[in-house]
Amino acid sequence: MPEASVQKKKIVFSGIQPTGDFTLGNYIGAVRNWGRMQEEYDCVYCIVDLHALTVRQEPKAFRERILSSYALTMACGIDPEKSILFIQSQNPHHAQCAWVLDCYTQFGELSRMTQFKDKSAQHADNVNAGLFTYPSLMAADILLYQAHAVPVGDDQKQHVELTRDIATRFNGVYGQTFVIPESIIPKSNEGARIMSLQDPLKKMSKSDPNPKAGISILDPPDAILKKFRSAVTDSEARVAYGPGKEGVSNLMVIYGIFTGKTMAEIEAEFAGKGYGDFKTAVGQSVADALSPIQDTYHRLMADRGYLEQCYREGARRAMAISGKTMDKVHKKLGLIL
Ligand code: TYM
C-alpha cells in the first residue's frame, strides 16, 4: 500500500449558530467549503445551539431553528455518513471542557474580542457572562476533536487565534494535550467576507434588521432577484473589482463563486454594459445555485424521523471522540476519573 494511503486524514471542525436561516455569507464563507473538504479530511460539523443562548431565544421557535439548521447544513452538502454532523448541546463535553478552558483564558484576552465588543453594543441590555466567555466555548468545540483545520469566514479568525493561544498555554503547563488548529479562510475575492447588499462596508449578517441587506439561502428566486436589483453599488456604471467599488466588488465575488469566473473574466463580460444587466445576472446565478439546496432542505424537513436518526448518531460519534480528550484533560489536571 502506498504510504499516503495509510496516513490518517487530518481533522476539520467547524460550527454554525442556529440563530436564523443561513445567509449567503454563511454559505459562501463557510458551509459551502465544509462540503468540499469531506473527501480530503475527517470532518466534524456542529450546530452550535449553546452559543446561540447568549441572546434570548423563544424556546419553541429555537427548537425548530436548531432542527432546520441541521437540515439546512445537510442540504448544503454535508453528508452525515461521511462527516460527523451533530448538535452541540447533545454532547455535554462541550460545556464541560469550556469551563476548564475558561480557567486558562484571561479576562484581557476576552475583552479584546471584536465580536464581544460588537455584540455587547448590539444587546446593551443583556451583556451576559456567556457573551463574554463565548470564545472559550468555541475553543472547547475545536480542541475536543483535536482539529487541525477550522474552515470559517474572516470574522471568526480572531476566535480561532485565541483558541490557538489557549491550547498553547494549556500544552505549556501540562504537556502535549491539544492539537494547535489553523483557520482556513477563503481569499477575499473568494468570499472571506460577503458584504451587506445595502451597505457594502458592513458584513452580511443574519441579524441585520434590513431584510434587503442579506440573502437567506431559503429566499425564493423572485425575492433573490429583487434584492440583487436593489443592491447598493456606485454611480460609475463600470463593473470592476477593487477599492472604492465595494458594492460592485461584492457582487462580482458572489457571481464568481457561482459561475467559476475570475474577476477579469467578469469585467470583460460586462464591459460597456450597465449595472442593470450585471445585477440581474448575479441574482440569477444565485437563485439557480440555491434552488437544489432548497429542494433538498424541504425534503429533509418533511422527514423528521430521518433527521432525528442522523443527529442522534452524530452526537454518539462526536462523544466517542470528545470523551477521549475530556479524559486526557481531566487526568492532566489531577481530577479523579
Ligand atoms: P456564525 O454562525 O456567525 O457563522 C457561521 C460561519 O459563517 C461565516 N460567515 C461569513 N462568511 C463570509 N461572509 C459573511 N458575511 C459571513 N457571515 C458569517 C462565519 O465566519 C462562520 O464561519 N462563532 C461561530 C460559530 C462557532 C464555530 C465554532 C465556528 C462556534 N464554535 C468552532 C468554528 C469552530 C459563529 O458565530 O458563526
Side-chain angles (χ1 to χ4, degrees), residues 17 25-26 134 138 141 152-153 155-156 192 194 203-204 206:
Q17 291 199 62
N26 294 133
Y134 180 112
M138 181 159 159
D141 297 341
V152 283
D155 63 319
Q156 295 300 317
I194 297 296
K203 176 184 90 159
M204 184 184 285
K206 289 182 205 127

Side-chain angles (χ1 to χ4, degrees), residues 104-285:
Y104 292 83
T105 308
Q106 297 302 304
F107 183 89
E109 289 174 314
L110 293 173
S111 313
R112 283 193 289 276
M113 294 293 112
T114 45
Q115 186 169 304
F116 172 67
K117 290 188 215 162
D118 292 351
K119 290 261 158 98
S120 42
Q122 256 173 43
H123 303 278
D125 56 335
N126 184 21
V127 184
N128 57 69
L131 200 61
F132 189 61
T133 59
Y134 180 112
S136 30
L137 177 58
M138 181 159 159
D141 297 341
I142 298 168
L143 300 178
L144 275 171
Y145 300 90
Q146 307 289 356
H148 301 91
V150 186
V152 283
D154 181 60
D155 63 319
Q156 295 300 317
K157 188 173 174 201
Q158 195 185 30
H159 287 160
V160 180
E161 272 163 15
L162 179 59
T163 301
R164 291 168 59 87
D165 292 344
I166 298 170
T168 305
R169 183 172 303 141
F170 195 96
N171 287 353
V173 179
Y174 298 102
Q176 179 57 39
T177 310
F178 298 121
V179 167
I180 310 296
E182 271 181 49
S183 53
I184 299 190
I185 298 171
K187 294 193 194 112
S188 54
N189 62 1
E190 289 170 3
R193 187 177 281 258
I194 297 296
M195 308 311 276
S196 152
L197 299 185
Q198 291 300 312
D199 177 357
L201 298 177
K202 230 173 74 182
K203 176 184 90 159
M204 184 184 285
S205 155
K206 289 182 205 127
S207 53
D208 199 312
N210 181 352
K212 283 158 74 181
I215 302 287
S216 149
I217 67 171
L218 293 177
D219 276 344
D222 53 340
I224 295 176
L225 282 168
K226 214 163 147 195
K227 287 188 198 176
F228 275 105
R229 286 201 196 103
S230 67
V232 169
T233 45
D234 52 56
S235 54
E236 229 187 19
R238 185 172 61 90
V239 174
Y241 183 85
K245 294 190 67 73
E246 282 74 17
V248 172
S249 298
N250 188 41
L251 298 182
M252 288 177 73
V253 168
I254 295 171
Y255 189 61
I257 292 286
F258 294 116
T259 58
K261 291 179 184 165
T262 63
M263 297 301 113
E265 285 167 345
I266 300 170
E267 287 179 6
E269 182 179 348
F270 293 99
K273 293 188 189 151
Y275 284 157
D277 287 353
F278 171 57
K279 288 179 177 178
T280 304
V282 181
Q284 197 59 55
S285 73

